[in-house]
Amino acid sequence: MAANSTSSATPLLVSRGISKQFSGVEVLSDVDLDLMPGEIHALLGENGAGKSTFAKILAGVYRPTRGTLTMNGAPVEAYSPIHAQRLGITLIHQEPISFPDLSVAENLVLGHERGSLLGRVHWAGMERRANELMDMLGIRIDVTRPMRGLSIADQQMVEIARALVGDSRLIIMDEPTAPLTPKEVETLFGIARKLRDEGRTIIFISHRLEEVQALCDRATVFRDGNLVDTVNVADVSDDDIIRLMIGRSLKEYLHKQRTTIGDVALKVENLTLPGVFSDISFDVHKGEIVGVGGLVGAGRTDVARALFGVEPAATGKIHVNGSEVAIGDPSTAIDLGLAFVPEDRAVAGIFSSLSVEKNISAAVPGKITSGGIIRRALEHAVASDSVKKLRIRLASLQQPIGELSGGNQQKAILARWLLTDPSVLILDEPTRGIDIGVKAEFYDMIGELAAGGRAILLISSELPELLALCDRVLVMSEGRLTANFDRSEATQESIMQAAVPRSADQEVAA
Amino acid sequence: MSVTEKSEIAAAPQRESASARPRWQVMLIRPELMTFVLLIIALIVASSLSPYFLDIAYILDSFTLSAELAMVALVLTIMIIAGEIDLSPASGMALAACTFAYAQQAGVPIPLAVGVGLLTGLAMGLLNGILVIRFQLPSIIVTIGTLIFYRGLAQVIAGDQSIRVPEWFIGINRVLVFGIPVPVLVFVILSVVLGFVLSSTIYGRQIYLIGTNPIAARHAGIRANRIKMSLFLLIGITASIAGMMTASRLGSVRYDIALGGELQMVLMAMLGGTYIFGGRGSILGTFLAAWLLVIVSTGMIVANILPAMQLCVLGVLLIISIIATNFIYSRTQR
Amino acid sequence: MNTISKIFLRREAGIFVMIVLFCLAVGAFKPQFLTLQSLRIVLLLVPLILIGAMGQMLVLVARHVDLSIGSTLGFSAMVVGMMFKYYPEIWWPLGFLVAIGVGAGLGLFNGFLITLFRLPAIIVTLGTLNLYRGLTYIISNAKQIDRQYVPSELKAMSQTSPIFGIPWIIFMIIAIALLTYWFAMHTRVGRQIFALGSNPVAAQLRGINVSKITLLVFALSGALAGLAGIMYASRWGFVNPSNTGSGFEFQVIAAVVIGGVSINGGVGTVLGTVLGVLLLGCVSSALPLLGIPGTTQNAIYGAVIIIALLIDRGVRQRAIKTISAKA
């Protein structure tokens, strides 16, 4: 599928060979893309496919490792959000970054003014201009009120208005619709079309294919850091796009050995946290690996956090090993035999400056002490045993864990939780950012743990991982459970279909 | 986002396979060593100023003047390691001393009066703890408020007069056990006990974990609120004991006991290598820093340096010690 | 009317009502409290605090705190006092320049340590609080500057009046409050201080020079403390190395947090701060009248700070609740 009919016009922005590496890992390779004036261009792809990285390079958040950007024929040299903005490129974050204590009008102009710092602030003029912009966009927000307390939708509108203050020619919207109601989405679309008709270019990042169909002129699909294809949206179907997004060759993973599946270890009924997830019901048996698929922001991590008591659900029931329990904080969850390897290792997992040994023993005070006093020999034995079992590569147990690679940090966190001898193990994106070799080790380990009779809830955005490891795959979308596949029914296509948000009537009851 | 994670995750692999840092290097880069070296230097300089500094009895005697503040500084060190701070205990010392002195003057038997002092300490710790933990206010601001409040209450109780304590209660600093003045002995024992608790018990370990990464600590099932509350209570009660010891040393109680003492407490902790942002530090460091400070201030007196100069030196030392500690930690660990 | 102003006005109206109620209540017991004479006492009590509060307000709005202002006041006052003593021939209004300049220099030093080494302001200023106080002793050789050295014109500023019996010093603080208002609300840099305190991350993204703004607020806080220093000499006629400015920071912080300035940054108004200072002044001047010993004053300051912090938190929580209710 070639590019489209507008290719005769002069592109607004030309990307040639744009690549980005983070510490030697290439996350974006050789992206060539022409963005036309007056088009709405969708960027699509799975989580981590590279679309957000590309968008952030355009907006000056990241500096590309290689490649050139040309805007209106002139090379783009400066890479910082402020420079990008001065060039007319604005990135609108999903949850806008603003000054909550300042008025809407001030939020609009701040950062756009030039001239002396002692220059006067013309409140009346500023507010008049802000009102004009709001009228132009057809939105009703009192520009004199503080930003704090505006709905996310209104905050986004303010951000869009901000782009217009700087007369941005390229406006990048990063998953703008995720937190919006259908009505707000319609308003947003109306504004986007209006801006397009004025000749501005809009980049629209979304997982919702129906929105892409409804709004966008062209779509570019990313996969594994590569640009796969750019298509005219009118020419293709949802299924075509899904195929482009996942169409990689399936890597061969060892399927885990069949284990005997025992009694229900974890049973969840109608778990709800308003605004985050609702009516989640499922169960996990002993020896079973249950996968949870879905897109980022679907509420998977929030369910895991609720189960572990980090941020408890408002309503609903949790049963562990047959008895109903109330989990108000993580220590209760641990006592009940739950363990949780969180998604964001640096924030919620490791104690970066402390030794590997102390990191491993953090959740099992009872195993390294007698009478409340830490027995060094005991702690050392416990930790080195874990290191051997999980094949953690390190120079010394006394080494700060921050010095280890991501994979080995993750193994140490897993080791911490295995020491608690959990009956239910919740893993949130356990293999993210880990090299292939270590990943395979992880898969073996997860399989072994299930074989040992533990119940495992595995949250993953990597479809092959879910398919290879899990006995069942749950899929969440927009805070709801949309599918519950047996391993025989689960395919990349079926999971993706269930993960992509649709209008309410199409939802599959779990 | 996945991208930022990747950058942080992929940063390390070259280091894990490297051999561990040599043991001597691990030892040398500890800030406590810096404190120790400074202590030795201070001793050499001081003894060249005056031969008194080679007399251990003289040093011990000088130390009695700072022992009360130093005791509280030990607990403050633990507090800072846990990621909180308390600026109010110097005022707390005054308030507890005043309630104690007031009670005994009103005819309450001394043991009961001491109980009143201790209860005052607990109550002060409790109030700080509730404000910080229950109402989630930043401890640094809250304890400025209570710093003023407790000192003010002390002033309400004692007025502008000094309250005398009974003759036999006076002079704890002149009572020697094994040739060591009691306040110094109390400080040393407290150092040993707290040092042991912090370094070798699960309670101490969890304090480091909370201070290093409170979110990860919560995920690991550590009940940070309980631990922090216990620390506020502990520092309150230590301040009350220190306050009554001061009363015994001075022979009378005024509301301005230990006025401005929070500076010396924070300074002892900082000089001992406690990391202002939490998670790092040791009792040993604060222990050494307390002696260092005593040598420095006594040395200045012996050298006939203006007493006012001491304030300057303390202020400058505080700033230099945080800069140095931050620097050491940022160089050696990430 | 601007919505933001409306929200603040509610808070400020609250403080105003408290002032009125307090004065009426005191007046009910002691009618002499409600006379012009006692108004004069209140007004003469607050100028120094008000000058300091204007600076502290900006510092708190920028999410910092300055504990060193009392010592800055003392040091500046001492420098000026010594200038008067040893160089009596110098034209006395130059003292204002010297005091403000010295104060600004000390404030800049604070800001410099805080921005360059990324240290918490509270610890740095706790250190400089003692450093500056020590320096005051050193330069003065621990000696007080007595009445006879302070120029009588300067002392007159706190007593004589151009009109209606209102002393010069009152006009001066009104001018300072208006200037601060203009600076905070109507200059770009003033608004950047609020932006920085409201969301430091966003401030950086929007191209605000965070270090420069931080340096500026500390310099301003120092300069105002310096001005308060020379006004101390004017008001009391002497400068003492240990008393002058001691405890000033606490009175100022108490006034500012009562005035609704948030310790979480980004929020604060000149009107609120002025009212906070006045409330504090009313309370302080009513105590002796009611026969409550002056020794209770510090306890009241402390209690008031704690209560103001709790109110601030309550206000914020309610704001959050209204947001989630709307969402």
Side-chain angles (χ1 to χ4, degrees):
Chain A
M1 278 166 272
N4 71 15
S5 51
T6 55
S7 57
S8 55
T10 332
L12 171 76
L13 188 133
V14 179
S15 153
R16 286 290 173 268
I18 288 290
S19 308
K20 179 68 187 168
Q21 294 186 347
F22 285 111
S23 319
V25 179
E26 187 137 301
V27 294
L28 200 64
S29 332
D30 296 314
V31 173
D32 296 343
L33 183 63
D34 293 358
L35 292 168
M36 298 297 162
E39 71 164 335
I40 301 181
H41 196 117
L43 297 188
L44 296 166
E46 281 184 70
N47 305 322
K51 56 187 190 311
S52 282
T53 310
F54 182 65
K56 284 185 176 155
I57 287 174
L58 293 184
V61 178
Y62 296 144
R63 172 186 287 268
T65 317
R66 284 195 313 276
T68 54
L69 290 176
T70 320
M71 183 134 174
N72 287 325
V76 177
E77 294 287 351
Y79 294 105
S80 80
I82 302 153
H83 282 119
Q85 205 154 69
R86 302 231 160 110
L87 287 170
I89 304 171
T90 300
L91 171 66
I92 291 163
H93 297 265
Q94 189 180 38
E95 297 205 354
I97 298 169
S98 64
F99 303 103
D101 304 303
L102 304 189
S103 76
V104 170
E106 280 201 278
N107 267 281
L108 282 178
V109 301
L110 231 152
H112 283 305
E113 330 94 313
R114 308 265 168 95
S116 153
L117 273 179
L118 276 176
R120 258 199 78 185
V121 176
H122 298 273
W123 286 89
M126 181 173 81
E127 280 160 13
R128 196 170 346 105
R129 180 134 178 253
N131 274 323
E132 282 167 16
L133 278 171
M134 293 295 163
D135 289 346
M136 213 175 91
L137 293 175
I139 34 185
R140 309 226 57 80
I141 299 175
D142 175 6
V143 300
T144 65
R145 58 159 294 159
M147 201 71 177
R148 189 189 299 282
L150 280 188
S151 70
I152 297 262
D154 284 348
Q155 289 186 40
Q156 279 185 357
M157 297 304 167
V158 175
E159 284 283 288
I160 293 171
R162 239 182 77 74
L164 300 185
V165 175
D167 196 26
S168 285
R169 306 311 296 173
L170 174 60
I171 300 171
I172 305 165
M173 302 184 183
D174 191 357
E175 296 196 43
T177 57
L180 303 188
T181 65
K183 199 158 166 257
E184 290 166 341
V185 170
E186 260 324 298
T187 318
L188 179 74
F189 282 8
I191 289 168
R193 292 193 186 99
K194 196 158 161 186
L195 297 176
R196 171 187 62 191
D197 297 342
E198 288 171 10
R200 297 178 212 271
T201 307
I202 292 179
I203 287 185
F204 184 77
I205 301 177
S206 176
H207 285 301
R208 301 186 191 181
L209 296 185
E210 51 171 19
E211 289 177 3
V212 173
Q213 291 284 6
L215 180 67
C216 301
D217 305 309
R218 291 197 299 163
T220 294
V221 180
F222 286 81
R223 190 201 311 146
D224 296 336
N226 295 301
L227 189 157
V228 182
D229 204 352
T230 298
V231 296
N232 282 322
V233 171
D235 301 344
V236 294
S237 67
D238 280 9
D239 290 344
D240 294 334
I241 292 178
I242 288 180
R243 208 169 302 124
L244 283 173
M245 284 162 70
I246 61 175
R248 70 181 132 197
S249 59
L250 247 176
K251 294 182 190 109
E252 278 304 311
Y253 291 109
L254 265 177
H255 275 246
K256 77 166 190 111
Q257 62 270 45
R258 282 266 166 214
T259 51
T260 40
I261 290 179
D263 300 337
V264 177
L266 174 72
K267 185 177 177 64
V268 176
E269 287 176 314
N270 309 103
L271 212 59
T272 300
L273 185 59
V276 185
F277 55 81
S278 60
D279 216 13
I280 305 291
S281 303
F282 63 89
D283 47 29
V284 188
H285 293 256
K286 285 177 182 158
E288 191 183 32
I289 304 178
V290 174
V292 187
L295 302 165
V296 165
R300 299 172 299 166
T301 296
D302 302 285
V303 170
R305 284 162 56 88
L307 288 176
F308 200 62
V310 178
E311 196 180 334
T315 56
K317 286 180 188 161
I318 302 172
H319 298 262
V320 176
N321 294 325
S323 45
E324 190 181 337
V325 293
I327 302 178
D329 61 13
S331 48
T332 316
I334 294 169
D335 292 344
L336 289 166
L338 267 62
F340 176 40
V341 176
E343 174 187 21
D344 197 341
R345 192 157 54 236
V347 172
I350 62 167
F351 300 94
S352 174
S353 61
L354 297 182
S355 69
V356 178
E357 189 175 85
K358 289 176 182 169
N359 269 279
I360 289 178
S361 67
V364 285
K367 283 220 164 115
I368 57 166
T369 54
S370 62
I373 292 161
I374 296 172
R375 305 291 165 194
R376 309 259 170 217
L378 208 55
E379 180 172 27
H380 191 82
V382 164
S384 63
D385 193 40
S386 295
V387 165
K388 254 179 242 137
K389 257 194 218 145
L390 298 188
R391 295 186 290 277
I392 303 174
R393 282 178 54 216
L394 39 63
S396 145
L397 274 174
Q398 307 308 326
Q399 201 174 8
I401 196 170
E403 292 182 356
L404 300 191
S405 71
N408 283 302
Q409 287 182 7
Q410 190 71 325
K411 281 183 180 177
I413 302 295
L414 187 60
R416 175 194 297 169
W417 289 114
L418 292 185
L419 285 177
T420 67
D421 193 20
S423 55
V424 179
L425 182 58
I426 306 168
L427 303 168
D428 193 357
E429 305 281 3
T431 63
R432 171 171 290 177
I434 289 175
D435 19 302
I436 298 292
V438 186
K439 264 188 191 177
E441 281 186 61
F442 257 96
Y443 297 150
D444 288 346
M445 269 184 254
I446 294 170
E448 277 168 36
L449 291 171
R454 296 179 212 277
I456 293 176
L457 191 66
L458 171 68
I459 298 173
S460 175
S461 295
E462 295 198 29
L463 298 180
E465 191 169 297
L466 291 175
L467 293 174
L469 286 171
C470 299
D471 299 300
R472 269 187 302 137
V473 179
L474 311 172
V475 184
M476 280 187 73
S477 175
E478 305 195 306
R480 293 175 171 278
L481 215 53
T482 50
N484 185 348
F485 296 117
D486 199 72
R487 85 185 286 156
S488 55
E489 307 163 325
T491 61
Q492 297 209 27
E493 282 77 9
S494 62
I495 294 175
M496 208 61 183
Q497 292 280 0
V500 172
R502 321 207 161 225
S503 38
D505 51 297
Q506 279 173 293
E507 255 171 43
V508 189
Chain B
M1 300 249 146
S2 61
V3 175
T4 47
E5 272 165 32
K6 270 178 194 152
S7 66
E8 148 264 312
I9 284 158
Q14 62 277 23
R15 289 189 71 169
E16 70 185 21
S17 42
S19 60
R21 259 195 304 270
R23 189 141 190 98
W24 62 268
Q25 213 178 337
V26 178
M27 302 276 289
L28 273 186
I29 49 183
R30 297 185 68 84
E32 293 92 332
L33 190 85
M34 166 190 91
T35 318
F36 186 68
V37 170
L38 285 177
L39 178 61
I40 299 296
I41 294 173
L43 261 177
I44 293 172
V45 173
S47 52
S48 72
L49 286 171
S50 153
Y52 281 130
F53 280 98
L54 295 174
D55 179 3
I56 194 90
Y58 179 74
I59 294 180
L60 287 177
D61 190 47
S62 313
F63 194 87
T64 55
L65 299 178
S66 298
E68 299 108 5
L69 293 177
M71 280 167 56
V72 185
L74 294 172
V75 189
L76 181 63
T77 302
I78 303 182
M79 196 105 187
I80 297 176
I81 294 173
E84 298 289 346
I85 198 167
D86 188 350
L87 295 174
S88 73
S91 299
M93 284 169 65
L95 179 54
C98 285
T99 53
F100 154 76
Y102 187 82
Q104 62 82 23
Q105 199 185 35
V108 176
I110 288 272
L112 263 180
V114 169
V116 169
L118 293 177
L119 272 182
T120 312
L122 271 184
M124 290 184 295
L126 189 67
L127 177 60
N128 282 334
I130 287 173
L131 290 170
V132 172
I133 293 159
R134 166 75 185 76
F135 292 102
Q136 294 172 328
L137 294 168
S139 55
I140 205 150
I141 298 284
V142 162
T143 55
I144 287 188
T146 52
L147 174 157
I148 305 166
F149 183 57
Y150 297 157
R151 178 77 62 191
L153 284 184
Q155 205 176 354
V156 170
I157 291 170
D160 288 330
Q161 267 84 51
S162 46
I163 308 175
R164 288 204 60 80
V165 295
E167 214 50 53
W168 66 266
F169 189 79
I170 298 173
I172 193 174
N173 56 319
R174 286 193 294 275
V175 179
L176 302 186
V177 177
F178 310 122
I180 304 169
V182 168
V184 181
L185 198 65
V186 171
F187 169 71
V188 172
I189 292 171
L190 191 65
S191 299
V192 172
V193 170
L194 290 180
F196 176 77
V197 167
L198 189 61
S199 66
S200 299
T201 67
I202 200 65
Y203 178 76
R205 171 66 58 80
Q206 294 190 334
I207 284 168
Y208 280 102
L209 295 176
I210 295 168
T212 304
N213 184 346
I215 300 175
R218 181 164 156 73
H219 279 80
I222 296 167
R223 294 184 158 99
N225 284 351
R226 280 189 202 177
I227 293 178
K228 284 182 179 172
M229 182 55 104
S230 70
L231 286 176
F232 276 109
L233 294 177
L234 181 64
I235 201 166
I237 209 152
T238 311
S240 67
I241 294 170
M244 288 184 278
M245 277 169 53
T246 314
S248 165
R249 176 166 59 82
L250 298 175
S252 67
V253 172
R254 277 175 54 89
Y255 78 90
D256 59 357
I257 278 182
L259 186 65
E262 57 278 352
L263 171 77
Q264 268 141 297
M265 295 177 191
V266 174
L267 177 53
M268 285 177 198
M270 296 293 116
L271 209 51
T274 314
Y275 187 48
I276 186 67
F277 299 111
R280 298 157 181 189
S282 70
I283 290 293
L284 176 64
T286 305
F287 179 81
L288 294 172
W291 290 99
L292 171 61
L293 262 189
V294 167
I295 305 279
V296 169
S297 28
T298 325
M300 287 192 297
I301 294 169
V302 169
N304 255 333
I305 293 172
L306 265 180
M309 189 70 181
Q310 287 201 36
L311 273 185
C312 289
V313 172
L314 296 185
V316 170
L317 268 180
L318 174 60
I319 292 164
I320 291 176
S321 62
I322 337 176
I323 295 174
T325 310
N326 284 4
F327 182 74
I328 289 177
Y329 283 130
S330 67
R331 282 295 292 274
T332 59
Q333 288 173 339
R334 288 173 303 158
Chain C
M1 160 127 314
N2 184 310
T3 316
I4 288 197
S5 326
K6 266 187 247 163
I7 290 171
F8 281 129
L9 274 182
R10 225 175 298 150
R11 176 82 184 247
E12 281 142 10
I15 311 169
F16 184 72
V17 169
M18 269 167 73
I19 295 178
V20 171
L21 287 180
F22 179 81
C23 290
L24 288 178
V26 175
F29 291 100
K30 302 276 169 187
Q32 68 265 41
F33 188 68
L34 299 178
T35 58
L36 272 180
Q37 183 53 34
S38 101
L39 177 68
R40 197 184 143 91
I41 292 175
V42 171
L43 285 183
L44 278 179
L45 211 65
V46 297
L48 299 184
I49 299 180
L50 190 118
I51 296 171
M54 290 295 120
Q56 192 72 258
M57 178 194 97
L58 295 175
V59 175
L60 279 184
V61 164
R63 277 201 197 185
H64 289 288
V65 65
D66 187 350
L67 294 182
S68 72
I69 52 171
S71 300
T72 304
L73 185 159
F75 186 80
S76 313
M78 187 52 78
V79 169
V80 172
M82 290 175 63
M83 185 185 94
F84 291 147
K85 181 172 174 183
Y86 296 110
Y87 304 95
E89 69 281 3
I90 288 182
W91 187 50
W92 70 271
L94 259 183
F96 280 95
L97 267 186
V98 172
I100 293 173
V102 168
L106 299 185
L108 265 179
F109 183 65
N110 287 336
F112 175 75
L113 290 173
I114 290 158
T115 51
L116 188 68
F117 298 105
R118 295 167 188 278
L119 300 176
I122 200 151
I123 300 290
V124 168
T125 55
L126 180 65
T128 54
L129 172 141
N130 290 272
L131 172 62
Y132 300 162
R133 180 63 64 190
L135 287 175
T136 310
Y137 282 110
I138 289 171
I139 58 163
S140 66
N141 225 344
K143 297 222 173 55
Q144 173 167 318
I145 303 292
D146 290 320
R147 278 197 82 80
Q148 71 263 30
Y149 300 114
V150 178
S152 49
E153 297 92 329
L154 181 61
K155 283 184 276 192
M157 282 190 69
S158 298
Q159 275 123 37
T160 60
S161 152
I163 187 165
F164 300 138
I166 303 169
W168 281 104
I169 191 170
I170 301 298
F171 289 104
M172 183 173 146
I173 60 168
I174 291 173
I176 286 170
L178 289 176
L179 258 173
T180 312
Y181 171 78
W182 170 81
F183 174 77
M185 296 303 292
H186 291 286
T187 65
R188 281 189 45 212
V189 60
R191 298 317 295 162
Q192 290 194 358
I193 296 173
F194 282 77
L196 166 62
S198 188
N199 186 344
V201 177
Q204 208 135 28
L205 282 177
R206 299 275 178 93
I208 292 174
N209 188 332
V210 174
S211 306
K212 207 156 118 189
I213 301 286
T214 309
L215 278 175
L216 178 76
V217 290
F218 278 97
L220 281 174
S221 167
L224 285 164
L227 176 63
I230 188 168
M231 293 320 290
Y232 183 98
S234 159
R235 175 80 181 78
W236 303 105
F238 67 88
V239 181
N240 183 291
S242 72
N243 291 342
T244 299
S246 157
F248 181 63
E249 58 277 2
F250 298 139
Q251 297 174 345
V252 166
I253 290 173
V256 170
V257 295
I258 300 169
V261 180
S262 168
I263 51 165
N264 295 295
V267 176
T269 65
V270 169
L271 181 59
T273 307
V274 169
L275 289 170
V277 173
L278 282 178
L279 180 57
L280 208 64
C282 288
V283 173
S284 307
S285 58
L287 291 182
L289 215 59
L290 293 171
I292 298 170
T295 48
T296 55
Q297 207 164 52
N298 283 322
I300 290 174
Y301 286 159
V304 148
I305 291 183
I306 296 166
I307 291 166
L309 291 179
L310 288 173
I311 292 176
D312 185 48
R313 180 184 140 80
V315 169
R316 247 184 311 136
Q317 291 242 309
R318 227 182 26 210
I320 292 166
K321 260 187 206 145
T322 30
I323 294 166
S324 40
K326 270 184 196 169

